[in-house]
């Protein structure tokens, strides 16, 4: 520097942290219920390795019944909000999620409910 032709080498190192979310319980099985009766469960979402605030979105499967009609028997609610907020020590808050199922027609479902952050992870 200062017109000195010497070369300087700077070495940088770091660790890439990929955000992820874990669930408690890790899978969900809702109990069979009579038609038009709601079955519900509570799931805790545990964010890890987030470096900034993010908002969780949910993709719920739409199902086609035997008669060709389409239905979405699931609903997902976040009673305390769906924002992942970092505390001063770098940890993220856990989120409570209520997942419910209700159908007016007989149906059995095995499928995925996708939880996605703002970065599409």
């Amino acid at each position: 520097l200062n017109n000195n032709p010497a070369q300087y080498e700077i070495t940088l190192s770091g660790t890439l942290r990929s955000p992820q979310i874990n669930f408690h319980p890790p899978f969900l099985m809702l109990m069979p219920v009579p038609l038009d009766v709601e079955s519900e469960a509570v799931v805790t979402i545990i964010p890890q390795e987030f470096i900034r605030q993010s908002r969780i979105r949910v993709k719920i499967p739409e199902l086609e019944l035997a008669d060709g009609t389409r239905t979405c028997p699931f609903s997902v609610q976040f009673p305390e909000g769906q924002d992942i907020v970092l505390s001063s020590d770098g940890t993220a808050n856990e989120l409570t999620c209520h997942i419910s199922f209700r159908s007016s027609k007989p149906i059995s479902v095995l499928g995925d409910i996708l939880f996605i952050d703002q970065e599409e992870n």
Side-chain angles (χ1 to χ4, degrees):
L1 311 173
N2 294 334
N3 295 326
N4 185 349
Q7 293 182 343
Y8 295 94
E9 183 177 317
I10 298 175
T11 303
L12 302 174
S13 65
T15 303
L16 177 63
R17 299 186 321 177
S18 296
Q20 62 182 6
I21 53 177
N22 293 313
F23 299 90
H24 182 75
F27 68 93
L28 185 64
M29 184 168 46
L30 296 172
M31 299 309 294
V33 291
L35 295 179
D36 274 330
V37 173
E38 184 174 85
S39 179
E40 181 182 51
V42 175
V43 174
T44 301
I45 298 173
I46 307 161
Q48 295 180 327
E49 305 297 338
F50 278 80
I51 58 173
R52 62 182 156 269
Q53 183 170 326
S54 189
R55 185 171 185 84
I56 298 295
R57 293 179 307 135
V58 182
K59 287 188 179 179
I60 302 171
E62 186 178 60
L63 308 171
E64 185 172 342
L65 301 176
D67 64 3
T69 60
R70 301 191 68 76
T71 185
C72 188
F74 293 101
S75 68
V76 177
Q77 297 196 7
F78 294 87
E80 297 151 11
Q82 56 199 90
D83 291 330
I84 295 173
V85 179
L86 299 177
S87 65
S88 59
D89 66 358
T91 59
N93 62 312
E94 294 183 350
L95 303 174
T96 302
C97 177
H98 291 236
I99 299 174
S100 61
F101 173 89
R102 178 190 300 246
S103 179
S104 60
K105 296 184 178 183
I107 187 171
S108 179
V109 180
L110 174 61
D112 296 325
I113 296 176
L114 300 177
F115 293 82
I116 305 163
D117 70 10
Q118 286 179 213
E119 305 295 324
E120 297 295 320
N121 294 311

